Amino acid sequence: MGEQIMTDHGVEALKIAAAWPGADRATLVTLATVLAGTGADADGYAYFRDLAAAQPEQVLPAVLAGFFQVRAGDDVAAGLARLDAAAGRDLGPPQYYRGLAIAGLVGLADDPARAAQAVQDLEFVLAVKDQFPGQMLRAVQHALVAAYSALGRDGDAAAAASRAGLSGTPAGTRLEFGGFSVSGAEGFRFGSPRIVQPAPGIQVAQGYDFGDFAFVTTQDGIVAIDAGTAPHRVEAALAAAGLSAGDVRHVIVTHAHFDHVGGIGAILRPGTRVIAQAGFPAELDQQHVNQVPYRNFTGAGAGFGNGGPPHPAMIRADVLVAETTTFTIGGTEFVLYPVTGGETTDALMAYLPASGVLFAGDVLMPYLGAPFFAEGSPDGLLAALKLILELAPETMVQGHTVLSDLFTLDAAAGLLDAFTEVRTDALIAIRRGASVTELLAKNYLPEMLRDHPAAVSPFLAIREHFVQRLHHQHTGYWQADGQGMEPIGPADRAAALDLLAGHEIEPFVQAVRALLAQRDYALGLEIATAGLACHPGAAELADLRQQALYRLLERHQLQDPFRFLIYAELAGAELGAVA
């Protein structure tokens, strides 16, 4: 296998941060998940073995060392012994990773005692599932299929397979390490549907749609916060919350993106008042013009277009907020803060002082605007973080479940400091002519994050997009390295590569096989796509392209939902929700 061409800066940064004293558990788990999801088991064992030796007082590095040692097949008995020892020191992660490791053993049916141990561990995890991030639970159901089967419990195995939601993916695909679901009909979901109550009288609908939305019960009816992409999904959430659409008297929209207002028809009635930021009408106009090119964002019949009406009725805001404004609705106080957030210029945050709950919308969206559109603001992201820190709410509810889980109040101060430093350094480099790839190769990981361990994972989720948006906003259409001077389209590039390949299919096939073997999945996809453009009937090349897409799905199943849903659409892949 050749040496990998493209450096995975995300993995390299995670390795640095995970070794810092006092590193957040989420940083270690994220690194382990990425390595396991990409099949880098030997790399994972070497890394966590050394980390466990350097930090013998910490249980999690030892757990992960044992997990990867078993997966890599490097003295399996010793790896299991590591896991057994860790299970005697702690509860939670040792059982999770021991159960997964045992379930992956070849010939497990010949060792019923170990299979029973795996079932015990994994069923324990499910019994205390609220202590684990939802993204970790698909792997439990997936592993239970093997463990139950080894014990001859075929009915239980079939039920676990159904709960894992992986029946539509090729055998052997490593997509058990994330919690996303996606289909052409229903679009993308960050997790399974549920109603959560961050405070009395407040219900948040998560997993019913691409975006989350909420209902606040007051003495004068319900105040809805956002409205998803499709009316039928809002109606389903209202039913689950035990509420009626007819009781909605006000709708506060955090911004005009399709995934936050596309379903508003479910709750608009004569007399329902819509409250939005002053920039809402202009942003909504832009949304109607800019159609998202991938159906997986919404699913059929949802959003603005994408199988539904191409131009749904325009939404008229009854109240436009241009400055900090306080409303009292049915005895409940709402303080509205118009901000130029990280995603759109029409962002509106809603704060309920009595409960300490802040509805932040998408001001902390990692992509800093839809990646396809000319929007988003690094400066707006920093301003939003500063305001959130000043408000110091008790609870922050954001526009998507993964944002609420990852971008916590504990992380805000570290994120503000770290991205302020990155912005300063990147702008200096941009003014000196640095290309976007040169900026990304800097692999920004400010040392100050050592003192903010909870900020590391969210920082790494944002930084690539932060740098890209910053670069695009401060450069011209010709770059200092020559990019853009002679625009070359995909078909032209494919024809040039075909010339290099002597107009033969086999060189493309060999190149893609080599790139996939050395984990250069993005390059493999590019070469396979170019080859198919010139040789559309090449079945072997089409199969390799599918493999590249699935490898990219595996890489991004935890950290990058937008990439995940786009690669899933390109591959025609569908994943069910984790039950």
Side-chain angles (χ1 to χ4, degrees):
M1 183 173 69
E3 185 176 348
Q4 188 172 356
I5 297 170
M6 295 181 66
T7 300
D8 193 325
H9 300 300
V11 169
E12 295 308 307
L14 281 167
K15 286 181 175 180
I16 294 170
W20 285 342
D24 189 71
R25 176 175 286 188
T27 302
L28 276 72
V29 170
T30 300
L31 173 59
T33 300
V34 172
L35 293 174
T38 54
D41 298 321
D43 187 14
Y45 174 46
Y47 178 85
F48 286 108
R49 177 195 61 206
D50 293 345
L51 187 61
Q55 301 178 1
E57 74 285 355
Q58 298 295 321
V59 177
L60 188 54
V63 170
L64 294 171
F67 171 69
F68 281 108
Q69 186 173 9
V70 173
R71 285 174 60 91
D74 190 336
D75 195 346
V76 170
L80 292 172
R82 282 181 188 265
L83 289 166
D84 291 341
R89 297 172 59 192
D90 194 11
L91 286 175
Q95 287 72 30
Y96 177 86
Y97 286 106
R98 182 171 64 179
L100 298 189
I102 294 173
L105 290 173
V106 176
L108 184 60
D110 297 327
D111 192 346
R114 273 297 181 188
Q117 179 68 70
V119 169
Q120 180 180 332
D121 284 341
L122 297 169
E123 289 183 343
F124 166 76
V125 170
L126 292 179
V128 295
K129 61 182 180 296
D130 291 344
Q131 305 301 313
F132 288 82
Q135 298 95 322
M136 297 179 72
L137 298 182
R138 191 194 303 274
V140 175
Q141 301 290 0
H142 179 75
L144 277 170
V145 175
Y148 285 142
S149 296
L151 294 174
R153 296 169 57 176
D154 295 339
D156 289 334
S162 177
R163 292 192 297 268
L166 294 174
S167 60
T169 62
T173 303
R174 295 179 293 259
L175 284 176
E176 67 268 26
F177 296 105
F180 304 149
S181 63
V182 64
S183 72
E186 289 300 315
F188 182 86
R189 298 289 187 278
F190 290 91
S192 301
R194 64 174 183 169
I195 301 293
V196 299
Q197 293 183 292
I202 299 175
Q203 299 185 78
V204 180
Q206 297 182 336
Y208 286 87
D209 213 326
F210 185 76
D212 295 347
F213 43 92
F215 308 106
V216 181
T217 301
T218 76
Q219 296 171 11
D220 186 28
I222 297 166
V223 177
I225 312 289
D226 285 341
T229 66
H232 70 278
R233 296 168 190 162
V234 177
E235 291 165 357
L238 280 166
L243 303 173
S244 171
D247 292 330
V248 177
R249 300 285 189 268
H250 297 79
V251 184
I252 298 173
V253 291
T254 62
H255 59 297
H257 272 181
F258 65 87
D259 52 324
H260 294 265
V261 294
I264 201 168
I267 50 180
L268 287 185
R269 299 288 188 278
T272 304
R273 290 169 62 80
V274 177
I275 302 171
Q277 206 243 59
F280 177 83
E283 179 66 31
L284 187 62
D285 285 343
Q286 192 65 30
Q287 284 292 297
H288 281 276
V289 173
N290 290 331
Q291 297 293 309
V292 175
Y294 294 98
R295 66 175 184 170
N296 276 355
F297 277 95
T298 61
F304 301 158
N306 297 300
H311 295 289
M314 296 298 288
I315 301 162
R316 183 180 66 84
D318 300 284
V319 180
L320 292 174
V321 179
E323 59 185 9
T324 301
T325 304
T326 299
F327 291 94
T328 299
I329 302 172
T332 300
E333 185 179 31
F334 294 80
V335 186
L336 304 183
Y337 295 91
V339 296
T340 303
E343 186 169 53
T344 66
T345 58
D346 72 322
L348 185 65
M349 298 199 302
Y351 182 50
L352 281 64
S355 59
V357 175
L358 174 69
F359 291 95
D362 285 357
V363 297
L364 302 184
M365 173 62 72
Y367 302 92
L368 285 85
F372 310 102
F373 305 150
E375 62 179 12
S377 169
D379 289 347
L381 174 70
L382 298 179
L385 282 167
K386 184 176 180 181
L387 177 56
I388 289 168
L389 285 168
E390 292 172 355
L391 292 174
E394 293 182 22
T395 304
M396 185 160 57
V397 177
Q398 301 183 63
H400 302 271
T401 306
V402 69
L403 299 185
S404 296
D405 291 344
L406 188 59
F407 299 97
T408 63
L409 295 168
D410 290 341
L415 289 173
L416 178 59
D417 291 345
F419 279 114
T420 298
E421 179 181 312
V422 170
R423 179 187 180 278
T424 299
D425 186 272
L427 282 177
I428 292 172
I430 289 169
R431 288 163 186 153
R432 292 174 177 169
S435 67
V436 68
T437 51
E438 288 171 336
L439 283 180
L440 295 175
K442 284 177 171 287
N443 205 8
Y444 288 112
L445 189 66
E447 281 289 313
M448 67 181 64
L449 287 172
R450 286 177 176 267
D451 299 324
H452 299 278
V456 170
S457 289
F459 172 83
L460 293 176
I462 297 176
R463 67 167 188 172
E464 177 183 328
H465 311 293
F466 185 95
V467 168
Q468 286 180 308
R469 187 67 75 181
L470 193 68
H471 189 273
H472 292 162
Q473 290 180 342
H474 290 271
T475 55
Y477 54 87
W478 285 5
Q479 304 297 309
D481 62 356
Q483 292 293 315
M485 290 180 62
E486 301 293 343
I488 299 173
D492 300 323
R493 185 175 291 106
L497 288 171
D498 193 43
L499 178 63
L500 186 64
H503 304 293
E504 298 289 336
I505 296 172
E506 188 58 27
F508 283 101
V509 169
Q510 291 179 2
V512 177
R513 286 193 182 280
L515 289 167
L516 296 185
Q518 63 196 38
R519 300 199 184 96
D520 277 310
Y521 307 135
L523 289 174
L525 175 62
E526 184 164 331
I527 298 300
T529 301
L532 286 168
C534 301
H535 306 278
E540 187 175 9
L541 204 53
D543 179 67
L544 286 170
R545 182 176 183 272
Q546 280 293 98
Q547 291 182 40
L549 287 167
Y550 272 99
R551 299 297 82 78
L552 288 164
L553 280 171
E554 293 165 353
R555 171 62 183 88
H556 298 297
Q557 64 186 299
L558 180 68
Q559 292 180 294
D560 202 316
F562 279 22
R563 279 191 172 104
F564 184 90
L565 69 88
I566 291 170
Y567 288 135
E569 184 161 334
L570 293 174
E574 297 199 348
L575 280 81
V578 183

